[in-house]
Amino acid sequence: MIPRALLITPDWAPNRGGIARLLGALVWGTEGEVHWRVVTKVPGPADESVRRAIGWRRFSAACLLESAWLRGASERLVVCAHAYAAAPALVTARWAQAPMAAVVYAAELESRVPRHRMSVALLKRAERIVAISEHASRLARARGLSPDRIAVVPPVLAPPWICERPSFRAPGSALRLVAISRLVEGHKNLELLLRVVSVLARTGIVERLTIVGDGPRRRDLTAKAAILGVA
C-alpha cells in the first residue's frame, strides 16, 4: 500500500509565493510514491486531495477529520508545513497515531510574537524537522529543537519552479535586474547580490540592478552599494 501523508499548511495554491510553490513541488514531485492530502486555509478550488477551510477553527477541525483517512494506511505521516500550524498538526498526528514532521523557514523562527513562539515550541515533539537553509537550521536549534532531528534540504530550482528553458542573451547585451524584497532579514543575501553585480557590471553582463523595498537594512544596503561602486 502506498504511504499516506497529510500536508497541513496555511499557504497553498492558487497562492504563488515561495512557500506555496515549494510545497506544491514536494507533493507533485512525489506523486505515485506518496498518497497526499492537503488541508489549507487558502480559498480556491477543492477536490478529494485538497480540503479548504477558512479560519483557524474550521482549519483545525478539517485537519482532525483527515485523521481517519490517515489511519487507513499502515505507513502514514502528518507534515506540518508551517510552524504556526503546529498545534492542529500535532493533535491530528496523535489522533491518527502517526509521526509528525515539519518544514521550517527562517522568518517564522525569528518571530517575537508570543503565540508564534508557542507554536514553534510545539515543534519539539516532531520526529523530523526539515529546514530549507543552514540559517533556518541554526535558528531552529536556537529555539531548542533537537539537532538530531533537523535535516537541511535546500529548495531545488526545477519544474514547476521553472516552466520554460532560459533564453541565451546575445553577446554584449547587458542585463537589467530587479530584486523585490523586504529589507529586513540578512539571510535574503542582498549584500551578496550587490557584490555579484559589482563584478558582472565590469564585464558588461549586468547594466543595472534595482532593489525595490524598504526596511531597517535600507541604509546599510545603500552604503554597501556606494562602497562597491554600484550606487
Side-chain angles (χ1 to χ4, degrees):
M1 179 180 291
I2 297 179
R4 293 182 179 182
L6 181 65
L7 182 69
I8 297 177
T9 173
D11 199 0
W12 186 252
N15 286 1
R16 298 182 59 83
I19 293 178
R21 288 176 177 267
L22 173 64
L23 298 176
L26 168 64
V27 172
W28 300 322
T30 56
E31 188 176 7
E33 302 174 28
V34 180
H35 187 182
W36 288 95
R37 279 194 179 180
V38 179
V39 179
T40 182
K41 294 168 71 266
V42 179
D47 53 37
E48 183 181 351
S49 62
V50 179
R51 180 185 293 273
R52 300 181 185 271
I54 311 304
W56 278 105
R57 289 185 179 180
R58 293 182 178 179
F59 176 72
S60 300
C63 293
L64 294 177
L65 287 174
E66 296 299 331
S67 60
W69 172 79
L70 278 174
R71 287 195 298 267
S74 57
E75 292 185 77
R76 49 190 181 268
L77 176 67
V78 172
V79 179
C80 177
H82 201 293
Y84 304 159
L90 184 60
V91 174
T92 302
R94 294 284 179 86
W95 280 31
Q97 299 178 349
M100 185 183 86
V103 184
V104 296
Y105 328 92
E108 61 188 15
L109 296 174
E110 292 176 318
S111 176
R112 296 184 180 182
V113 179
R115 68 176 183 276
H116 293 169
R117 292 255 176 156
M118 291 176 62
S119 295
V120 171
L122 292 176
L123 295 181
K124 295 178 182 179
R125 303 184 184 183
E127 295 196 12
R128 177 66 66 180
I129 302 291
V130 177
I132 68 167
S133 66
E134 291 289 349
H135 179 62
S137 176
R138 288 192 296 270
L139 289 174
R141 295 195 298 271
R143 295 292 178 267
L145 304 185
S146 174
D148 296 337
R149 300 183 181 184
I150 300 173
V152 178
V153 183
V156 176
L157 293 179
W161 289 72
I162 300 175
C163 299
E164 57 185 29
R165 295 182 179 275
S167 59
F168 292 93
R169 302 187 64 83
S173 178
L175 294 168
R176 295 181 179 181
L177 309 179
V178 178
I180 303 174
S181 173
R182 295 177 298 160
L183 308 185
V184 181
E185 301 94 341
H187 69 270
K188 293 183 181 297
N189 286 332
L190 291 175
E191 289 87 350
L192 177 60
L193 180 59
L194 289 172
R195 289 182 178 275
V196 169
V197 169
S198 71
V199 174
L200 298 181
R202 292 194 294 269
T203 63
I205 296 177
V206 173
E207 175 183 337
R208 176 177 293 273
L209 165 67
T210 302
I211 297 177
V212 181
D214 203 358
R217 296 184 62 83
R218 178 176 177 176
R219 181 175 298 178
D220 292 340
L221 288 168
T222 301
K224 176 66 71 174
I227 293 173
L228 294 173
V230 293

